[in-house]
RNA sequence: GCGGGUGUAGCUCAGUCGGUUAGAGCGCCAGUUUGUGGCACUGGAGGUCGCCGGUUCAAUCCCGGUCACUCGCCCCA
């Protein structure tokens, strides 16, 4: 192909792609607004510490996946690989900790230096919500319910399974981690190479290894749920009771873990099998330790992020809006009249296209291909007589209408529900 | 970062056991129709066969590298 190609792992959002993208974002924005989440945005780059401090050196996201560079002023900058840290940073920076709780919705690009695959890009886009302040498990339930509603609204909930686990609070998790390392240490030689690395760096990750040998060892490993203290158990029980009450189906997944240190209690992912290896379509959890790790006050938080590209691939929807009608000049001398009429119709609230190239046959052909169903045709004769030809391209009918009566005539045949859409 | 597959027209793909002008369908443009689209017919444009190098009298085809896409690992959205 041409040498003029986008950078690896990036892609253009042409109108047809943008339609699916907007379909996801618009629905997510509306659904989260039903729960009181308000839209905000943070910069797409931050000082590197915003990500390196909370994510830690053990995380793949930081060690090998970030786009980091030094700017002209010598500052170390990182393109955001996710948005939770940025949102929490914004909360601290903006002094918003005085008005808890906070409910935020965001949508925007994220950047990870990964090997691209289907559903995995170096620049990709996420929607997400963050609920800052509450420690109660009902907050966890509410954000999961919100996530389920987003998926339902775009028509993909029935293609996903909600996997749910509890990591417990810090005390529980540290106790479990010690037990797990103790057990796995006895089997180290039999572990896969990847898992040998993880044993030192991030042992919980071994739990969801896909290696067959690892899985055999894991089968007899100590279980996370056996190490939850009473408070952690209560948190999880409250959450699951709330989900059950709302008829939100979930599946307990004891192997679902999050690598990052600030995660605690709830971890969940909506997973589909329709997208190959990139099955997680929306995932998140509780991150009570994050604010403190960033140097702010101890403020709890729960949230999730969803991959817009992955969601758009699952969703059939996505409509490209096209104008409702077009004004066609039948001859060159009528161009100015057609232009003026198009403006008048736009003043009246219609979406109007005005084809300008070629003879009348070409213009009509363009309308047809664009999916425009109504043509207002005017030539010298019509201008003189103060009328237009109103042609319906769907059924081929055509009527002469007085210009004074055009707006009301159009109003009766074009629904005012909104833009005409066609895909 | 690791392993496998693929790369021929805008799109989906044939094809050349290495040999003169590389094909099809769809799409695009034009005409049949100089005030009327869809259908049909006719014609046309469009490819350095991803890129660089090697072997060869000769490479789109074989070999190496590279880039991109793709499948899996890793990790996650």
């Amino acid at each position: 192909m041409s040498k003029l190609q986008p950078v690896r792992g990036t892609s253009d959002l042409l109108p047809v792609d943008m339609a699916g993208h907007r379909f996801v974002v618009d629905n997510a924005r509306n659904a989260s607004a039903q729960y009181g989440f308000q839209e905000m945005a943070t910069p797409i780059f931050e000082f590197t510490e915003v990500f390196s401090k909370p994510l830690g050196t053990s995380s793949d996201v930081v060690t090998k996946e970030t786009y980091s560079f030094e700017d002209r002023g010598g500052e170390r900058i990182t393109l955001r690989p996710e948005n939770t840290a940025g949102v929490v940073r914004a909360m601290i920076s903006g002094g918003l900790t005085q008005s808890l709780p906070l409910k935020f919705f965001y949508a925007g690009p994220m950047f990870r230096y990964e090997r691209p695959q289907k559903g995995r890009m170096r620049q990709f886009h996420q929607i997400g919500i963050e609920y800052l302040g509450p420690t109660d498990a009902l907050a966890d339930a509410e954000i999961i319910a919100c996530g389920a509603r987003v998926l339902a609204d775009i028509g993909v909930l029935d293609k996903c399974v909600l996997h749910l686990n509890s990591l417990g609070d810090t005390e529980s998790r540290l106790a479990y981690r010690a037990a797990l390392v103790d057990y796995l240490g006895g089997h180290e030689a039999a572990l896969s190479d990847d898992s040998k690395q993880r044993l030192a760096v991030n042992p919980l990750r071994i739990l969801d290894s896909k290696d067959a040998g690892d899985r055999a060892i894991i089968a007899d490993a100590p279980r996370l749920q056996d190490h939850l203290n009473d408070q952690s158990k209560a948190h999880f029980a409250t959450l699951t009771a709330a989900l059950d009450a709302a008829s939100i189906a979930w599946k307990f997944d004891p192997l679902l873990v999050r690598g990052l240190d600030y995660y605690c209690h709830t971890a969940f992912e909506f997973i589909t099998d329709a997208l190959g290896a990139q099955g997680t379509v929306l995932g998140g959890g509780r991150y009570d330790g994050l604010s403190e790790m960033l140097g702010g006050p101890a403020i709890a938080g729960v949230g999730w992020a969803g991959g817009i590209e992955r969601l758009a691939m699952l969703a059939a929807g996505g409509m490209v809006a096209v104008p409702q009608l077009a004004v066609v000049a039948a001859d060159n001398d009528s161009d100015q009249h057609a232009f003026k009429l198009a403006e008048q119709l736009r003043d009246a609230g219609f979406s109007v296209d005005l084809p300008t190239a070629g003879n009348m046959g070409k213009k009509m052909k363009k309308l047809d291909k664009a999916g425009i169903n109504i043509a207002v045709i005017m030539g010298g004769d019509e201008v003189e007589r103060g009328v237009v030809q109103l042609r319906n391209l769907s059924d081929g009918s055509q009527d002469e209408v007085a210009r004074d009566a055009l707006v009301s005539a159009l109003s009766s045949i074009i629904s005012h529900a909104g833009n005409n859409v066609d895909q």
Side-chain angles (χ1 to χ4, degrees):
Chain A
M1 296 302 152
S2 164
K3 290 172 183 170
L4 263 188
Q5 51 196 7
V7 174
R8 183 176 207 196
T10 68
S11 70
D12 302 306
L13 287 168
L14 300 176
V16 65
D17 310 304
M18 203 67 205
H21 195 98
R22 277 191 54 181
F23 178 70
V24 170
V25 174
D26 290 348
N27 278 286
R29 181 182 292 118
N30 292 337
S32 57
Q34 287 187 276
Y35 292 79
F37 290 91
Q38 300 179 315
E39 185 161 9
M40 69 170 301
T42 67
I44 62 167
F45 50 77
E46 299 272 356
F47 290 120
T48 294
E49 307 84 76
V50 171
F51 304 111
S52 62
K53 278 163 82 176
L55 265 40
T57 51
S58 65
S59 156
D60 271 11
V61 171
V62 164
T63 54
K64 69 178 189 184
E65 293 178 1
T66 53
Y67 276 93
S68 296
F69 58 93
E70 194 171 285
D71 72 10
R72 288 165 188 254
E75 303 286 2
R76 298 198 57 239
I77 301 297
T78 294
L79 266 39
R80 61 185 190 189
E82 51 89 28
N83 205 196
T84 302
V87 168
V88 171
R89 193 233 81 223
M91 169 187 74
I92 300 168
S93 306
L96 303 178
T97 53
Q98 301 300 307
S99 46
L100 299 173
L102 298 162
K103 296 176 121 174
F104 294 127
F105 167 83
Y106 64 82
M110 308 294 157
F111 306 85
R112 293 182 197 172
Y113 192 87
E114 294 185 284
R115 177 114 168 215
Q117 271 180 243
K118 182 189 182 93
R120 193 171 71 180
M121 320 279 288
R122 288 183 173 180
Q123 177 179 337
F124 62 107
H125 299 80
Q126 287 185 331
I127 49 171
I129 60 174
E130 310 295 350
Y131 194 178
L132 300 164
T135 55
D136 194 275
L138 283 182
D140 306 37
E142 195 174 30
I143 66 139
I144 291 175
C146 179
R149 191 174 296 274
V150 170
L151 299 179
D153 286 355
I154 64 174
V156 305
L157 183 59
D158 57 357
K159 298 176 187 170
C160 302
V161 174
L162 169 58
H163 289 239
L164 186 65
N165 192 19
S166 174
L167 305 174
D169 57 16
T170 305
E171 176 189 301
S172 302
R173 200 175 62 257
L174 289 180
Y176 173 64
R177 180 180 165 134
L180 183 66
V181 169
D182 187 50
Y183 167 80
L184 291 174
H187 298 76
E188 182 170 0
L191 288 171
S192 67
D193 288 346
D194 279 334
S195 288
K196 281 174 189 163
Q197 293 290 325
R198 285 186 282 228
L199 183 58
V201 175
N202 199 344
L204 296 204
R205 271 273 157 230
I206 298 175
L207 292 178
D208 65 352
S209 170
K210 290 172 185 169
D211 181 85
D214 288 349
R215 303 207 82 124
I217 296 172
I218 293 161
D220 295 322
R223 294 173 174 277
L224 178 48
Q225 61 265 39
D226 297 333
H227 289 74
L228 297 183
N229 58 24
D230 289 345
Q231 191 200 342
S232 298
K233 284 177 180 164
H235 188 99
F236 192 62
T238 302
L239 167 61
T240 57
L243 293 177
D244 290 342
S247 299
I248 295 169
W250 56 278
K251 177 185 173 191
F252 179 58
D253 183 351
L255 303 184
L256 175 65
V257 294
R258 309 241 124 192
L260 309 183
D261 288 342
Y262 58 74
Y263 278 110
C264 59
H265 292 297
T266 309
F268 69 94
E269 295 184 1
F270 284 90
I271 299 176
T272 179
D273 58 6
L275 253 36
Q278 279 64 241
T280 300
V281 113
L282 187 151
R286 179 163 277 279
Y287 47 84
D288 292 348
L290 177 55
S291 178
E292 266 185 302
M293 293 179 89
L294 278 173
I299 291 173
V302 248
W304 52 252
I308 296 175
E309 284 84 355
R310 290 182 185 178
L311 290 167
M313 278 192 285
L314 272 187
M319 300 298 190
V320 178
V322 301
Q324 299 158 302
L325 55 97
V327 176
V328 178
D331 52 65
N332 288 343
D333 292 339
S334 303
D335 282 348
Q336 292 287 347
H337 296 284
F339 179 85
K340 183 178 173 186
L341 178 58
E343 274 297 277
Q344 290 171 340
L345 292 175
R346 290 166 186 143
D347 286 343
F350 295 103
S351 298
V352 183
D353 193 22
L354 182 70
T356 57
N359 59 30
M360 188 176 165
K362 302 262 184 280
K363 292 176 186 172
M364 295 299 290
K365 200 166 187 170
K366 290 289 185 198
L367 304 199
D368 189 52
K369 285 183 181 170
I372 295 172
N373 291 321
I374 307 293
V376 176
I377 302 166
M378 61 189 311
D381 178 51
E382 282 82 3
V383 170
E384 227 171 86
R385 293 165 41 226
V387 299
V388 297
Q389 303 298 328
L390 187 53
R391 183 176 182 82
N392 183 326
L393 300 210
S394 303
D395 60 18
S397 65
Q398 183 166 322
D399 301 298
E400 186 166 291
V401 177
R403 267 188 73 162
D404 293 343
L406 179 58
V407 168
S408 61
L410 288 172
S411 297
S412 67
I413 56 175
I414 292 176
S415 78
H416 277 264
N419 272 353
N420 183 32
V421 292
D422 184 62
Q423 170 76 319

